[in-house]
Amino acid sequence: MPYVNIKITREGATAEQKARLIKGVTDLLVEVLDKNPATTVVVIDEVEMEHWGIGGLPVEKYREALRNASR
Amino acid sequence: MPYVNIKITREGATAEQKARLIKGVTDLLVEVLDKNPATTVVVIDEVEMEHWGIGGLPVEKYREALRNASR
Amino acid sequence: MPYVNIKITREGATAEQKARLIKGVTDLLVEVLDKNPATTVVVIDEVEMEHWGIGGLPVEKYREALRNASR
Amino acid sequence: MPYVNIKITREGATAEQKARLIKGVTDLLVEVLDKNPATTVVVIDEVEMEHWGIGGLPVEKYREALRNASR
Amino acid sequence: MPYVNIKITREGATAEQKARLIKGVTDLLVEVLDKNPATTVVVIDEVEMEHWGIGGLPVEKYREALRNASR
Amino acid sequence: MPYVNIKITREGATAEQKARLIKGVTDLLVEVLDKNPATTVVVIDEVEMEHWGIGGLPVEKYREALRNASR
């Protein structure tokens, strides 16, 4: 009966990769807590880069700052 | 003052149906908990089929497996 | 297969009222979108008053301000 | 390490405005709770008007009703 | 940079099991999408039984109905 | 009409600090997007340390690992 929400930035994850996330999380819940896969719901949200912030910046700007800092 | 989030798979729900969900949930909260509709927020998320997992599979594959199992 | 999350302030909602919310929302999704109750998940969150803000204030302070304004 | 989710209706917020929301929320968490910006995640969701309900109505219909009521 | 929320019913999951869920989900995101563990946030919510509904019933009543139906 | 959810670890945030978060986020939405405070909902979730994971570890273990690594 678990509900799992996975939020990732929209960066080209394929249908196959998303299916692996769904299977992997469901298997994990079976293995660790013996949950029933038939009532385990997994919802993936792909978030636009402009909508994801870290370090006070939109993620692309944050990564750019990290790259510049490491030069 | 309630906040309600309804997540459904994106399978052609019409604007009229979504309006009925908004009204129905708001009326329910008025009826059961005497909540103020003017501050009752309802947000509907339509989720791509590829992003919804159940039974360890993306929902379309899950439904296909159920159909095959029932043959 | 829908997932519904209902957030309300913790103000004494009874088990019976919560059961009515679960039933009401599930029935609504059957009626409007013909969804399967057996895979319709409803999760209720009761939020401490101190954790709920509206009008820029914690809800109790907001209500107090409304009462004072209406005197 | 905070996670902040901001849901707004999709009404033309610009990339610059979204960046200001990300910065503003992160700065607030540094200022009030001394949180580390590098692990403060902010996710913005822009919600279609048809998917946002208040007062038991989709938000555009609700605003229309308010306008009519104020005539 | 992913954010994962795992909602389970409060049924005695141990600290060790929760740690395994955190590790398992993080490892899965590294393996499938090559995500950075240092910015992968996992939040577990344990939900009171009274607050979790399925089949239109609070989960304990639902399970009871299933048991009775299988007699 | 925005809805903002702030998730933080339960580490002693005071009522006063939570009120400042509510006010700060609401003011930010007024300033940046001219939103109406009266329909801006802010919900704070305080998450048990055991329920918050980063770097594949429960947060306390993660911080411990960071401290050891910096010795």
Side-chain angles (χ1 to χ4, degrees):
Chain A
M1 210 151 297
Y3 168 78
V4 182
N5 176 223
I6 303 173
K7 290 188 194 295
I8 52 175
T9 41
R10 186 185 295 279
E11 299 190 69
T14 64
E16 190 267 338
Q17 288 174 313
K18 293 169 198 173
R20 283 174 62 195
L21 292 179
I22 290 169
K23 183 175 185 324
V25 161
T26 306
D27 291 349
L28 179 67
L29 284 156
V30 173
E31 185 197 313
V32 176
L33 293 175
D34 193 27
K35 293 297 187 184
N36 176 1
T39 51
T40 296
V41 174
V42 180
V43 170
I44 297 169
D45 291 322
E46 281 192 293
V47 177
E48 302 301 327
M49 300 290 270
E50 190 178 281
H51 288 174
W52 194 292
I54 187 156
L57 295 168
V59 64
E60 282 177 306
K61 291 237 163 42
Y62 182 71
R63 289 177 183 169
E64 197 186 311
L66 286 186
R67 280 193 299 271
N68 294 339
S70 67
R71 282 204 188 103
Chain B
M1 210 150 296
Y3 169 78
V4 182
N5 176 223
I6 302 173
K7 290 189 193 292
I8 52 175
T9 41
R10 186 185 295 279
E11 298 189 71
T14 64
E16 191 267 335
Q17 287 174 314
K18 293 169 198 173
R20 284 174 59 196
L21 290 179
I22 290 168
K23 183 175 183 327
V25 161
T26 306
D27 291 348
L28 179 67
L29 284 155
V30 173
E31 185 198 310
V32 176
L33 293 175
D34 192 28
K35 293 294 187 184
N36 176 2
T39 50
T40 296
V41 174
V42 180
V43 170
I44 297 170
D45 290 320
E46 282 191 292
V47 178
E48 302 302 326
M49 300 291 270
E50 191 178 279
H51 288 175
W52 196 290
I54 188 157
L57 295 167
V59 64
E60 284 178 305
K61 290 239 162 44
Y62 182 72
R63 290 178 182 168
E64 195 186 309
L66 285 187
R67 281 193 300 272
N68 294 341
S70 66
R71 283 206 186 100
Chain C
M1 209 149 298
Y3 168 78
V4 181
N5 175 222
I6 303 173
K7 291 189 193 295
I8 52 175
T9 40
R10 187 184 295 279
E11 299 189 72
T14 64
E16 191 267 337
Q17 287 174 313
K18 294 170 198 174
R20 283 174 61 196
L21 291 179
I22 290 168
K23 184 175 184 324
V25 161
T26 306
D27 290 349
L28 179 66
L29 284 157
V30 173
E31 186 198 310
V32 176
L33 293 176
D34 192 28
K35 294 295 186 184
N36 176 2
T39 51
T40 296
V41 173
V42 179
V43 170
I44 297 169
D45 291 322
E46 282 191 291
V47 178
E48 301 304 326
M49 299 290 270
E50 190 178 281
H51 288 175
W52 195 291
I54 188 157
L57 295 168
V59 64
E60 284 178 304
K61 291 234 164 38
Y62 182 72
R63 288 177 182 169
E64 197 187 309
L66 285 187
R67 281 193 300 269
N68 294 339
S70 67
R71 284 205 187 101
Chain D
M1 209 150 297
Y3 169 78
V4 182
N5 176 222
I6 303 173
K7 290 189 193 296
I8 53 174
T9 41
R10 187 184 295 278
E11 299 189 70
T14 64
E16 192 266 336
Q17 288 175 314
K18 293 169 198 173
R20 283 174 61 197
L21 291 180
I22 290 168
K23 184 174 184 326
V25 161
T26 305
D27 290 350
L28 178 67
L29 284 156
V30 173
E31 186 198 312
V32 176
L33 293 176
D34 193 27
K35 293 295 186 183
N36 176 1
T39 50
T40 296
V41 174
V42 180
V43 170
I44 297 169
D45 291 321
E46 283 191 291
V47 178
E48 301 305 325
M49 300 289 270
E50 190 178 282
H51 288 175
W52 195 292
I54 187 156
L57 295 167
V59 64
E60 284 178 305
K61 291 237 164 39
Y62 180 73
R63 290 177 181 169
E64 198 186 310
L66 285 186
R67 281 192 300 270
N68 294 339
S70 68
R71 282 204 188 101
Chain E
M1 209 152 300
Y3 168 76
V4 182
N5 176 223
I6 302 173
K7 289 190 195 296
I8 52 175
T9 40
R10 187 184 295 278
E11 299 190 70
T14 64
E16 189 268 337
Q17 288 174 314
K18 294 170 198 173
R20 283 174 63 197
L21 291 179
I22 290 168
K23 183 174 184 326
V25 161
T26 305
D27 290 349
L28 178 67
L29 285 157
V30 172
E31 185 198 312
V32 176
L33 293 175
D34 193 27
K35 293 296 187 184
N36 175 2
T39 51
T40 296
V41 174
V42 180
V43 170
I44 297 169
D45 290 321
E46 282 191 293
V47 178
E48 302 302 326
M49 299 291 270
E50 191 179 281
H51 288 175
W52 195 291
I54 187 156
L57 295 167
V59 63
E60 283 178 305
K61 290 234 167 31
Y62 181 72
R63 290 178 183 169
E64 196 187 310
L66 285 187
R67 279 193 300 270
N68 294 339
S70 66
R71 282 208 189 103
Chain F
M1 208 152 296
Y3 168 78
V4 182
N5 175 221
I6 302 173
K7 291 189 194 291
I8 52 174
T9 41
R10 187 185 295 280
E11 299 189 72
T14 64
E16 192 266 336
Q17 287 174 315
K18 293 170 199 173
R20 284 173 62 197
L21 290 180
I22 290 169
K23 184 176 184 323
V25 161
T26 305
D27 290 349
L28 178 67
L29 284 157
V30 172
E31 185 198 311
V32 176
L33 292 176
D34 192 27
K35 293 295 186 184
N36 175 2
T39 52
T40 296
V41 174
V42 179
V43 170
I44 298 169
D45 291 319
E46 283 191 291
V47 178
E48 303 302 326
M49 300 291 269
E50 191 178 281
H51 288 174
W52 195 291
I54 188 156
L57 296 167
V59 64
E60 284 177 305
K61 290 236 164 38
Y62 181 71
R63 289 177 182 169
E64 196 187 306
L66 285 186
R67 281 192 300 270
N68 294 340
S70 67
R71 282 205 187 103

